[in-house]
Amino acid sequence: MFDRESHRDEAEVFSDLESLCHSNGYLHTIAYFCFRDNTVRCGEEIQKEDFLEQYSTDRLLRTEISTLIGLACTVKSNLELPTPAKMQEYIDKTESLLLELHHSMVPDISNLFKLDTNNQLDKSYNPFNKGTFLREPIFYGGESAYHFQYRDLSKLKYKNDEDWIIENKGYSINDLFVVIESISSLQLEKINSILPNVLQKNSDEWTVLDAYIFTINEVEAKLSIPLSKPLIKKVIESFVSIDSYEFKRLDDFNQKNAFPIIKIDDNKYLLFQNYSLLEALYESPFFWFWNDKSYRNTAMTNRGNFTEDFSVSRLKSVFGNNRVFQGVNIIGKKGVTSGEIDVLVLFANRAIVLQAKSKKLTLESRKGNDLSIKNDFKKAIQDSYDQAYLCSELLLSKSYKLEDKYGQSIDISNIEFQEIYPVCIVSDHYPALSFQAKQFLKYKKTDIIKAPFIMDVFFLDVFAEMLNTPLYFLSYLNRRTNYSDSIMATHEMTILAYHLIHNLWVDGADYIHIGNDFNTVLDMSMLTRRDGLDSIHTPKGILTKYQGTTVGKYLSDIERINNPSTVDFGFLLLKINEQSIQQVNETIELICSKSLVDGKNHDFTIGFKNGEGLTIHCNYNDYNTAKEKLEDHARKRKYYTKSKKWHAICIEPSTKNIKFGMSLDFPWKYSKEMEQATSRMVKPLSTFNSKTKIMPKKIGRNEQCPCGSRKKYKKCCL
């Protein structure tokens, strides 16, 4: 246990940890931690509880295990097996030192406050934008990506660098990935079989280290295509570090992150964390290129193109090809380019202005250098945001022309933008990205230009995978940016996971923190979709509650129609709860049934606590008549309830299809004329609840069936 009273200096604790990692046979202890904390153990069926263990506070983070590996490998590897007693001593001491190391990184509480010249508390002082406070979230912030994202995105990231890799490394990109996939498959197989093998031995011989050791012959046997042993060895040794290196403080460059494979002899290797190998596959090749000065500029160009191209691809999967534009130039008078948008998305009266960057957090920043942290953030995020905001402002002006990278004109002259979202995206893992954005980002927002959304390519990948339609995507984007100052989580994935289950609403709360354990269902879903896990494909919640309902059909229709008025109605539908949706469905069925029977107009109206309301008309009227009646009714309802916004929809009785919709959005203002027009108006339903139920009139056996068949009820649906 850690004793707060005997608070030691970080360097002293780190030195003790280094000495421990140099102990005889310590590699067996690292193997124990990898098996305990990086492995999901389950029965025949994988349960949510199996994944919850990965978010236990008792487990070591991968960054902590990587630190142990890095320290252990600064001396010659020792595979001697410790006695069980010595092994337990190593385990206990490691956990104690890592806990002490964590606490030693936390600044003294006195640094949280600052006095002004009058010896009063300086309320403008923010300690969390200081390097001393940022070191901890940077190191302990967790992973940015799933392992399969590093694997799959690497193929896209380096596809244009293949000629250099062939010439300088002696293998193709396909060769590289075939070998890496073979190692991953081999390690998974060994981990799954290690326990039965261990339990057959005497307890003095228990170790799981063998699960992490592999040979060239074993890799060759798992290959999906035949490759020569020398070529396999070239790939493996691209991720083997030099024999000796210095690792004297936590923030030093850890060679084992870039080169995670440990060479035991000419044929045998050791890999503790397959995740680290896939991360190195995504990160390290760029540094190979960087060492070739003649290729640096090309590598930088390819890296930037990847970020932009990948963003375009994922956004097109949500919005379609004709709503996503790349390399957009905003051209003013005399042909002068006033702004450049990397990726522009247009949907109804909404826009996403995305700017892509490929900047990383430098080593000096990881060490807590205030100036370096702010400089890195400016290059990676602030400059990108400033450009996005400028371009968002230009979109609101009618005096500019837009052209994409192919010179094709983009016509926005008829769009009255209601919402514009500036989005900044980075291509690499940027530790504590959302936390740093909250501390450092200087931004503006208006009624139309929303607060910025900062993300990496890995989050965009998951975002577009799970919320893969325009309404779902934009609805979440709206809520996430509106709550940018109210929500805190270790990672953006956690907030998205919460939304998928509970619908993201924090009204009435000034501030909420979302725990990492919400990630479990998202983890299971993504692993099922991308990595062959037989588990949850779609989490129960926001994505399932509309399935098979009239409301669900309306959401699809609204996205197809792509009309600003009905889009607002779609966003309203995504806000209401499951019980309300059920009752809206039942009420639509009721008024359509009535119209089918009597041929008359029927409607219902509900009001919502957030200052919005909804009126639905069901009739056979022609467009002009129906529009006039619906707008008149909606205006009166909006006035009567003193609402700021009112949605109105007209539906066709037999198909229940949306004929058209409108949205009235303007501040309430007193009117003597409207007072008279609404004097006898009945108060609308107040948001559906458990007591709000509209029951249909009882139908006689000999009456016409409400289904519209024109048969008697007793000979039809009865």
Side-chain angles (χ1 to χ4, degrees):
M1 296 297 291
F2 172 67
D3 181 7
R4 287 181 177 274
E5 297 300 320
S6 57
H7 188 73
R8 294 197 298 163
D9 180 78
E10 180 186 324
E12 188 179 353
V13 180
F14 192 79
S15 177
D16 284 356
L17 189 63
E18 179 183 28
S19 298
L20 176 63
C21 291
H22 291 169
S23 302
N24 284 339
Y26 188 77
L27 293 181
H28 293 272
T29 306
I30 295 176
Y32 164 80
F33 284 123
C34 288
F35 188 79
R36 187 193 74 177
D37 297 335
N38 289 343
T39 307
V40 177
R41 288 171 288 281
C42 60
E44 291 185 7
E45 292 187 8
I46 296 174
Q47 305 294 328
K48 177 183 175 182
E49 290 71 24
D50 300 326
F51 274 81
L52 275 172
E53 291 183 11
Q54 294 298 296
Y55 295 99
S56 167
T57 55
D58 295 331
R59 69 180 285 268
L60 301 188
L61 298 178
R62 283 196 179 92
T63 50
E64 292 178 303
I65 294 176
S66 294
T67 299
L68 301 179
I69 298 168
L71 288 172
C73 291
T74 55
V75 296
K76 187 172 176 59
S77 301
N78 185 315
L79 300 181
E80 179 184 336
L81 178 62
T83 64
K86 180 59 72 174
M87 182 81 157
Q88 189 62 52
E89 180 186 326
Y90 288 165
I91 292 168
D92 294 341
K93 193 171 182 182
T94 300
E95 291 180 322
S96 176
L97 284 172
L98 285 173
L99 180 61
E100 189 178 3
L101 184 67
H102 191 169
H103 285 293
S104 71
M105 291 179 69
V106 179
D108 191 277
I109 194 169
S110 62
N111 293 322
L112 286 169
F113 310 102
K114 181 181 179 182
L115 300 179
D116 59 22
T117 53
N118 298 319
N119 213 31
Q120 298 294 315
L121 191 65
D122 186 352
K123 295 182 179 179
S124 65
Y125 176 68
N126 178 14
F128 297 106
N129 62 16
K130 305 298 179 185
T132 51
F133 279 91
L134 283 167
R135 286 184 67 244
E136 193 269 349
I138 286 173
F139 184 79
Y140 292 98
E143 293 117 16
S144 179
Y146 291 108
H147 69 278
F148 51 80
Q149 287 182 297
Y150 280 134
R151 178 194 66 207
D152 298 340
L153 269 64
S154 295
K155 296 177 182 179
L156 302 174
K157 187 177 183 181
Y158 298 115
K159 67 179 182 179
N160 293 325
D161 299 299
E162 178 154 30
D163 289 345
W164 187 96
I165 292 173
I166 292 172
E167 183 179 346
N168 293 273
K169 289 292 186 178
Y171 49 76
S172 69
I173 285 184
N174 187 58
D175 297 337
L176 170 63
F177 281 94
V178 165
V179 174
I180 296 296
E181 287 169 4
S182 174
I183 294 171
S184 299
S185 175
L186 178 63
Q187 185 170 91
L188 180 61
E189 184 180 286
K190 289 196 169 195
I191 288 171
N192 281 329
S193 62
I194 190 66
L195 273 185
N197 295 336
V198 167
L199 293 175
Q200 291 176 5
K201 299 179 180 179
N202 187 287
S203 60
D204 289 345
E205 300 177 286
W206 283 359
T207 177
V208 292
L209 184 63
D210 290 344
Y212 302 97
I213 293 175
F214 64 90
T215 66
I216 292 177
N217 292 338
E218 288 175 324
V219 173
E220 183 183 28
K222 296 292 290 184
L223 292 175
S224 58
I225 59 172
L227 296 174
S228 68
K229 284 186 175 67
L231 191 147
I232 296 169
K233 188 169 186 175
K234 280 183 181 180
V235 173
I236 292 171
E237 300 217 345
S238 295
F239 299 94
V240 174
S241 66
I242 55 178
D243 292 336
S244 61
Y245 58 89
E246 284 198 350
F247 187 23
K248 292 299 183 183
R249 54 174 287 170
L250 194 62
D251 309 300
D252 282 346
F253 174 61
N254 185 352
Q255 287 272 359
K256 302 319 295 177
N257 288 333
F259 305 98
I261 297 177
I262 303 163
K263 187 173 183 177
I264 297 174
D265 58 38
D266 281 345
N267 186 54
K268 189 180 292 185
Y269 299 88
L270 173 61
L271 173 65
F272 279 117
Q273 300 189 108
N274 183 57
Y275 184 96
S276 296
L277 177 59
L278 294 174
E279 185 177 18
L281 177 64
Y282 184 84
E283 299 278 2
S284 295
F286 179 76
F287 296 101
W288 305 345
F289 310 147
W290 191 255
N291 290 330
D292 182 350
K293 292 182 180 179
S294 65
Y295 193 71
R296 280 184 187 177
N297 290 338
T298 303
M300 285 293 292
T301 299
N302 290 342
R303 186 181 178 192
N305 289 342
F306 157 73
T307 313
E308 195 174 304
D309 292 343
F310 181 76
S311 300
V312 168
S313 172
R314 295 311 282 134
L315 290 169
K316 281 185 175 180
S317 73
V318 176
F319 293 93
N321 293 342
N322 61 338
R323 297 172 184 154
V324 181
F325 308 91
Q326 185 174 5
V328 176
N329 289 321
I330 304 175
I331 304 169
K333 295 178 180 179
K334 299 181 180 180
V336 176
T337 299
S338 300
E340 297 177 358
I341 302 174
D342 290 338
V343 186
L344 173 66
V345 178
L346 299 174
F347 181 77
N349 53 2
R350 269 78 173 174
I352 297 173
V353 176
L354 183 144
Q355 302 296 147
K357 292 290 183 183
S358 302
K359 303 295 183 182
K360 297 170 68 71
L361 192 67
T362 61
L363 197 58
E364 277 303 304
S365 294
R366 293 173 184 269
K367 292 180 178 180
N369 183 309
D370 283 4
L371 186 61
S372 180
I373 290 174
K374 292 174 182 177
N375 187 47
D376 285 350
F377 186 85
K378 182 179 184 301
K379 291 177 180 178
I381 308 298
Q382 188 66 60
D383 290 350
S384 176
Y385 167 73
D386 291 342
Q387 186 178 356
Y389 186 85
L390 169 64
C391 292
S392 298
E393 285 189 311
L394 295 177
L395 288 181
L396 296 175
S397 172
K398 301 297 183 183
S399 57
Y400 294 92
K401 295 180 181 179
L402 270 61
E403 287 184 359
D404 66 13
K405 65 183 293 186
Y406 306 106
Q408 298 296 314
S409 179
I410 304 168
D411 184 12
I412 60 170
S413 59
N414 294 323
I415 302 178
E416 294 296 329
F417 287 107
Q418 185 171 326
E419 294 172 357
I420 299 177
Y421 296 97
V423 174
C424 305
I425 190 165
V426 293
S427 63
D428 297 306
H429 172 48
Y430 199 98
L433 178 59
S434 59
F435 184 80
Q436 290 194 54
K438 194 178 287 287
Q439 306 308 320
F440 294 120
L441 187 60
K442 297 175 182 176
Y443 67 89
K444 296 175 283 186
K445 58 182 179 179
T446 68
D447 289 340
I448 297 176
I449 303 175
K450 303 301 180 180
F453 195 14
I454 314 301
M455 65 177 82
D456 54 35
V457 291
F458 311 111
F459 178 75
L460 177 60
D461 186 32
V462 177
F463 188 3
E465 176 72 32
M466 302 308 300
L467 301 177
N468 62 355
T469 72
L471 279 180
Y472 281 95
F473 193 97
L474 288 169
S475 177
Y476 179 77
L477 193 56
N478 175 273
R479 273 177 253 180
R480 181 64 188 95
T481 54
N482 282 342
Y483 298 144
S484 58
D485 295 327
S486 307
I487 300 176
M488 189 66 184
T490 303
H491 197 277
E492 282 296 335
M493 299 275 200
T494 307
I495 304 173
L496 176 61
Y498 178 88
H499 172 71
L500 294 175
I501 305 167
H502 296 294
N503 215 345
L504 188 63
W505 286 107
V506 296
D507 290 350
D510 294 329
Y511 178 85
I512 65 168
H513 183 275
I514 301 175
N516 290 339
D517 52 340
F518 279 104
N519 281 348
T520 52
V521 292
L522 180 59
D523 294 345
M524 296 169 75
S525 179
M526 287 300 297
L527 282 163
T528 298
R529 291 165 180 244
R530 297 287 186 83
D531 210 41
L533 184 72
D534 184 14
S535 184
I536 300 170
H537 184 272
T538 303
K540 185 177 180 181
I542 186 78
L543 298 176
T544 59
K545 67 180 183 178
Y546 305 102
Q547 288 179 353
T549 69
T550 301
V551 167
K553 179 180 181 298
Y554 285 172
L555 290 173
S556 298
D557 289 346
I558 288 165
E559 289 175 327
R560 177 177 50 79
I561 295 169
N562 190 21
N563 181 283
S565 297
T566 52
V567 164
D568 287 342
F569 172 52
F571 288 133
L572 177 68
L573 293 177
L574 288 173
K575 294 177 185 177
I576 59 181
N577 62 40
E578 206 158 350
Q579 188 177 42
S580 298
I581 291 166
Q582 181 182 350
Q583 294 188 341
V584 167
N585 284 321
E586 291 174 0
T587 308
I588 290 171
E589 292 286 341
L590 172 63
I591 63 174
C592 287
S593 296
K594 287 184 173 183
S595 291
L596 285 169
V597 170
D598 60 22
K600 297 179 181 179
N601 298 347
H602 293 279
D603 65 82
F604 76 92
T605 292
I606 56 175
F608 296 91
K609 292 178 181 178
N610 65 349
E612 294 184 59
L614 168 65
T615 293
I616 295 184
H617 276 198
C618 178
N619 57 54
Y620 293 101
N621 294 334
D622 63 81
Y623 174 78
N624 290 331
T625 303
K627 183 175 183 296
E628 183 180 346
K629 287 186 175 183
L630 182 58
E631 185 170 0
D632 179 66
H633 190 179
R635 284 186 179 277
K636 288 175 180 176
R637 280 299 187 187
K638 181 181 183 303
Y639 183 85
Y640 180 77
T641 57
K642 298 184 178 180
S643 300
K644 181 185 181 298
K645 192 169 187 175
W646 203 267
H647 307 271
I649 299 295
C650 182
I651 60 177
E652 205 280 331
S654 57
T655 64
K656 306 182 194 72
N657 289 341
I658 296 175
K659 294 164 71 175
F660 62 89
M662 62 184 68
S663 179
L664 308 178
D665 188 3
F666 49 83
W668 184 88
K669 186 178 180 181
Y670 175 81
S671 165
K672 185 176 180 180
E673 181 184 342
M674 290 297 287
E675 286 289 327
Q676 292 175 346
T678 60
S679 60
R680 294 187 179 183
M681 189 165 270
V682 179
K683 187 177 181 180
L685 292 172
S686 176
T687 336
F688 287 126
N689 55 52
S690 58
K691 296 181 181 179
T692 305
K693 193 100 172 180
I694 302 175
M695 299 302 294
K697 171 189 170 184
K698 187 174 181 180
I699 303 168
R701 293 172 57 84
N702 293 310
E703 291 185 63
Q704 264 195 15
C705 185
C707 74
S709 66
R710 300 189 180 277
K711 296 179 182 179
K712 288 186 178 182
Y713 183 48
K714 67 182 180 183
K715 292 188 176 181
C716 192
C717 292
L718 178 62

